[in-house]
Amino acid sequence: MSWSEILGQDLAKRTLSAHLASGKTAGAYLFAGPEGVGKRLLVLELAKALNCTTEGSRPCDRCVTCQQITKGIHPDVHRVTPSGASNQIRIDDIRQVLERIGLRPYNARVQVAILEQAERLNEEAANSLLKSLEEPTTFTRFLLTTNQLPHCLPTIVSRCQILRCPPLPREIVQRILLDRHGCDPRTAEMTARLSQGSVSRALELADRWTDYERLLNQLADFRMSEWMETPLPESRQDVTHLLDGMVVRLRDRSAAAAGEAARSADVDRWVETAFDMIALRESLEQFVSPRLVAALAREKWLSLTEVKRQK
Ligand SMILES: [Zn+2]
């Protein structure tokens, strides 16, 4: 993978390329953005670019250093993630990595410490890190990531150069699903729409899409009796996907009917119902019974089809 092969995140890529070209990279970067938008790829790419042994445009992705970093086995690149029951980055983890990066690199130019989910640094661990973040040696770099910037300790944030990684455009998620994950075109299109710009979220949906398609086809069928006999999904995740599916279907219908003056009332109702579904989806956590939410959604869906039948 090279910079140009990372799709999206143009601002972060441009910033980093400029820093690398000028030889003035920051001692600590914090990549902030939702899950599944390419933060980890950017971090790896930067770690490679800092250490690639090839002359010319870096990273080359072919030298031993690049390959070892890609595989996660380079002795000068250290990765720290939250662990333990509390799912935190603890002071022992930080001490260990500081000890290692305090030494000169084995065979790279710089020692790289990658800290994932920086919002999970507990205060003690963060404090032990402050001095190193503030005054990194010429041969150490800190690369932090977070999908919850507001929950990161201000003492950490203020010592890093922040690189914002926003949700990816829908077309890019779709392209990644098609080209890199072998999704079929229909699944890629539908899940990209629902992904909120996150490849990992799209992939999670894609995994289960066939089942939902089947469920949705039953929903789309206006034969009331059959729908009434369909068992309601039980799990929170299934209900979430069901609601997502309804929203997509409503949006498809609205888009298809847009511009047909005679149907504008229909379109309004569909859009309104889609928003109701989104609200239900957002409140799902508050319901004790996901099945109840599914039942409410079914009511809303049926009321739409009722109107249609009466015409
Ligand atoms: Zn290389």
Side-chain angles (χ1 to χ4, degrees):
M1 189 143 306
S2 68
W3 291 113
S4 61
E5 285 173 71
I6 298 179
L7 302 179
Q9 306 309 348
D10 293 340
L11 182 60
K13 286 190 293 188
R14 269 204 310 275
T15 307
L16 291 172
S17 299
H19 290 189
L20 287 162
S22 70
K24 288 178 187 152
T25 47
Y29 289 96
L30 175 57
F31 296 76
E35 192 60 39
V37 298
K39 298 190 298 297
R40 204 165 293 142
L41 290 178
L42 289 169
V43 162
L44 270 189
E45 218 50 28
L46 178 55
K48 284 190 268 182
L50 286 167
N51 280 319
C52 174
T53 52
T54 306
E55 291 302 320
S57 86
R58 292 200 286 250
C60 71
D61 230 21
R62 287 186 303 275
C63 70
V64 176
T65 302
C66 281
Q67 287 184 6
Q68 284 185 333
I69 295 176
T70 302
K71 289 181 193 154
I73 55 170
H74 195 284
D76 297 315
V77 177
H78 317 280
R79 184 165 161 261
V80 183
T81 55
S83 61
S86 58
N87 191 33
Q88 289 191 322
I89 299 180
R90 291 165 302 181
I91 189 162
D92 289 346
D93 305 326
I94 295 298
R95 278 196 185 131
Q96 209 176 358
V97 84
L98 288 179
E99 231 166 76
R100 292 179 67 182
I101 64 171
L103 308 170
R104 290 207 164 262
Y106 280 102
N107 54 13
R109 273 193 303 274
V110 294
Q111 293 260 22
V112 179
I114 299 172
L115 275 60
E116 292 184 358
Q117 294 179 259
E119 75 280 359
R120 308 299 304 172
L121 272 162
N122 68 27
E123 201 147 350
E124 205 185 11
N127 285 339
S128 71
L129 188 60
L130 295 184
K131 192 170 180 307
S132 308
L133 281 184
E134 200 154 72
E135 299 161 9
T137 67
T138 50
F139 54 88
T140 56
R141 292 290 181 280
F142 292 89
L143 312 182
L144 286 66
T145 66
T146 182
N147 50 22
Q148 292 174 37
L149 186 59
H151 293 146
C152 289
L153 291 165
T155 46
I156 296 289
V157 177
S158 64
R159 285 168 173 81
C160 296
Q161 163 129 18
I162 298 176
L163 293 168
R164 290 190 188 268
C165 304
L168 296 168
R170 193 180 79 193
E171 311 77 62
I172 288 187
V173 176
Q174 194 169 337
R175 192 136 59 97
I176 292 172
L177 291 182
L178 278 174
D179 298 350
R180 309 223 166 121
H181 297 278
C183 287
D184 67 81
R186 164 89 179 154
T187 305
E189 191 202 329
M190 298 298 270
T191 54
R193 281 174 185 228
L194 292 168
S195 68
Q196 292 163 4
S198 158
V199 172
S200 50
R201 182 166 152 75
L203 283 173
E204 185 198 313
L205 288 167
D207 257 357
R208 318 187 60 177
W209 199 252
T210 323
D211 290 344
Y212 296 117
E213 283 273 74
R214 193 166 38 77
L215 209 59
L216 284 172
N217 287 333
Q218 290 171 350
L219 277 176
D221 191 335
F222 289 153
R223 277 171 300 171
M224 196 84 86
S225 59
E226 198 171 297
W227 163 226
M228 295 307 279
E229 286 156 18
T230 308
L232 288 168
E234 299 280 349
S235 78
R236 226 168 271 278
Q237 199 178 9
D238 283 347
V239 175
T240 304
H241 289 305
L242 179 69
L243 292 170
D244 285 346
M246 286 176 167
V247 172
V248 170
R249 187 140 310 213
L250 289 165
R251 193 159 48 183
D252 282 353
R253 279 198 201 165
S254 310
E260 293 177 42
R263 303 188 70 184
S264 70
D266 279 349
V267 173
D268 288 351
R269 283 178 56 79
W270 294 336
V271 172
E272 199 185 314
T273 308
F275 278 114
D276 287 346
M277 299 295 184
I278 291 168
L280 273 180
R281 187 185 187 290
E282 281 168 357
S283 62
L284 192 54
E285 284 304 314
Q286 293 154 25
F287 281 86
V288 177
S289 157
R291 200 161 179 276
L292 175 63
V293 178
L296 289 171
R298 180 161 77 172
E299 283 304 306
K300 287 189 186 299
W301 189 271
L302 289 178
S303 71
L304 274 184
T305 59
E306 283 281 77
V307 170
K308 204 174 176 70
R309 288 169 142 240
Q310 283 160 10
K311 278 189 183 162

